[in-house]
């Protein structure tokens, strides 16, 4: 029993000593904190090919050579924008018209029988049997005979008969009878059974409505004709190019049907509506077509040149478009590059307008701008993830080392049970 009691006391004493020792060590660690060994940042500063502070990137000569960094000066320049698009030839709507009959009757003969035929002004279209026409001729013949028979009765009667004759001639004229046919009727005093309907104007027949043997009413359409000496081209211009076009602008048009030949036109209309599916607007180009080479429904290509006002320009390769920001990198010196936001205008021939954000004479990066931007992104990531709070024990900001820099020794593991985690 005594030996068991002595052993029990020894165990209790040992435990007490261990607890006291652990408490003393913990108190010592608490009063004298030490950081776990970390990689020396001085090695980063001396051996790293790049350094990033905010939006500023510094690259040594070797890094610039490997990246192929190139620069160019910002300058003022007047650009010429070339807009190329396609379209379809259409008839000139102002040149479309219908040839109609001025009398009621039956079509006995048709002198124009097919679409596509050219009709000259005054050309005979059809012969129509009409009782109205016959009655108008006989009325005119009767007026002629009355004037001749009663010309010596009295001045008042002569004046009345002259008015009747004038009214009868006017009636024939309104029915579309030519002056030559009226003179022939006056000479022969024989009425014609058929009236010849003639074209009031010329053009190409695009619609044939008349049929031989059919009865027509006064004012009924016989033929649809179109003047194809001028045609329209409807071209699709993308939404981004609308600001570069205007009424009266010259357009060069080419077609596969006539290789090497260019037709000159002019913008006569710009649609106020954007097509929701294609994001384009219709532009109408008026083209002279004296030889009839340009035919409706023919496909064609159009080239529009637009002169832009003089402004600051940079190469398009300088711009980084993130969707939310437009960014360029300014070269402060041979090795230092700074990110800058800009507002851009229109693009043409490898250059893009800069409306604000740059000054004339600034030097921008034209090649490897994306690589420099990636360095700033890596710097932002490393300052938060690679160094915890982003500060060393002294509270100074740390530089970021790229992935290809030599790696330092990993930090030593700390006792997670000490109650205070180390860096």
């Amino acid at each position: 029993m005594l030996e068991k009691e002595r052993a029990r006391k020894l165990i209790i004493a040992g435990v007490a000593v261990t607890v006291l020792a652990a408490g003393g060590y913990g108190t010592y660690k608490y009063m004298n904190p030490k950081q776990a060994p970390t990689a020396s940042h001085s090695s980063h500063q001396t051996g790293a090919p790049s350094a990033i502070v905010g939006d500023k990137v510094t690259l040594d000569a070797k890094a610039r050579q490997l990246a192929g960094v190139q620069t160019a000066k910002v300058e003022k320049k007047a650009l010429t924008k070339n807009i190329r698009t396609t379209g379809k030839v259409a008839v000139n709507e102002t040149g479309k018209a219908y040839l109609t009959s001025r009398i009621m009757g039956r079509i006995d003969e048709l002198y124009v029988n097919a679409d596509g035929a050219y009709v000259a002004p005054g050309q005979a279209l059809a012969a129509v049997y009409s009782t109205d026409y016959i009655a108008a001729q006989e009325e005119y013949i009767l007026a002629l005979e009355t004037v001749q028979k009663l010309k010596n009765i009295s001045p008042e009667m002569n004046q009345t008969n002259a008015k009747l004759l004038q009214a009868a001639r006017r009636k024939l004229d309104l029915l579309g009878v030519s002056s030559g046919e009226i003179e022939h009727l006056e000479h022969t005093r024989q009425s014609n059974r058929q009236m010849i309907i003639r074209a009031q104007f010329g053009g190409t027949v695009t619609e044939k409505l008349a049929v031989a043997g059919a009865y027509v009413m006064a004012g009924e359409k016989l033929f649809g004709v179109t003047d194809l000496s001028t045609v329209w081209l409807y071209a699709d211009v993308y939404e981004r190019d609308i600001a570069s076009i205007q009424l009266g602008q010259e357009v060069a048009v080419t077609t596969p049907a006539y290789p090497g030949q260019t037709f000159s036109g002019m913008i006569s209309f710009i649609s106020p509506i954007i097509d929701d599916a294609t994001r384009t607007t219709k532009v109408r180009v008026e083209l002279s077509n004296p030889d009839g080479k340009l035919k409706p429904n023919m496909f064609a290509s159009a080239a529009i040149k637009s002169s832009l006002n003089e402004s600051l320009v940079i190469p398009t390769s300088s711009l980084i478009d993130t969707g939310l920001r437009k960014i360029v990198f300014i070269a402060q010196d041979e090795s230092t590059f700074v990110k800058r936001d800009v507002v851009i205008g229109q693009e043409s021939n490898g250059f893009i307008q800069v409306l604000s954000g740059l000054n004339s004479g600034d030097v921008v990066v034209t090649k490897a701008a994306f690589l420099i931007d990636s360095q700033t992104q890596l710097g932002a990531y490393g300052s938060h993830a690679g160094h915890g709070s982003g500060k060393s024990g002294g509270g100074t900001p740390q530089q970021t080392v790229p992935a290809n820099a030599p790696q330092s020794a990993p930090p030593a593991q700390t006792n997670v049970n000490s109650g205070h985690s180390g860096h």
Side-chain angles (χ1 to χ4, degrees), residues 202-262:
T204 301
V205 175
T206 54
E207 190 176 1
K208 176 181 171 292
L209 302 172
V211 179
Y215 275 84
V216 294
M217 302 297 293
E220 189 169 342
K221 300 173 184 176
L222 301 177
F223 299 94
V225 295
T226 303
D227 181 10
L228 296 179
S229 61
T230 59
V231 293
W232 289 346
L233 173 71
Y234 282 102
D236 297 316
V237 174
Y238 282 103
E239 188 175 359
R240 63 176 179 268
D241 297 324
I242 292 177
S244 303
I245 59 175
Q246 58 186 354
L247 295 177
Q249 204 165 0
E250 291 187 0
V251 181
V253 178
T254 57
T255 67
Y258 306 103
Q261 186 171 356
T262 302

Side-chain angles (χ1 to χ4, degrees), residues 156-294:
E156 293 79 6
M157 183 65 70
N158 290 341
Q159 187 176 5
T160 301
N161 291 335
K163 289 182 178 180
L164 291 174
L165 179 61
Q166 185 179 3
R169 183 184 179 95
R170 177 65 176 166
K171 188 175 183 179
L172 289 172
D173 184 58
L174 292 175
L175 289 176
V177 182
S178 66
S179 58
E181 291 174 333
I182 294 175
E183 291 176 1
H184 180 73
L185 176 63
E186 183 178 348
H187 178 72
T188 61
R189 306 290 174 93
Q190 296 289 328
S191 62
N192 295 315
R193 292 176 56 83
Q194 293 178 333
M195 177 180 175
I196 304 300
I197 297 179
R198 300 183 181 276
Q200 296 92 4
F201 39 79
T204 301
V205 175
T206 54
E207 190 176 1
K208 176 181 171 292
L209 302 172
V211 179
Y215 275 84
V216 294
M217 302 297 293
E220 189 169 342
K221 300 173 184 176
L222 301 177
F223 299 94
V225 295
T226 303
D227 181 10
L228 296 179
S229 61
T230 59
V231 293
W232 289 346
L233 173 71
Y234 282 102
D236 297 316
V237 174
Y238 282 103
E239 188 175 359
R240 63 176 179 268
D241 297 324
I242 292 177
S244 303
I245 59 175
Q246 58 186 354
L247 295 177
Q249 204 165 0
E250 291 187 0
V251 181
V253 178
T254 57
T255 67
Y258 306 103
Q261 186 171 356
T262 302
F263 302 88
S264 180
M266 181 183 66
I267 296 177
S268 59
F269 176 75
I270 301 173
S271 175
I273 300 172
I274 295 289
D275 187 283
D276 190 45
T278 62
R279 309 310 303 169
T280 61
T281 188
K282 289 289 184 184
V283 173
R284 188 176 70 207
V285 180
E286 188 168 332
L287 297 161
S288 178
N289 188 36
D291 300 330
K293 290 184 176 180
L294 298 174

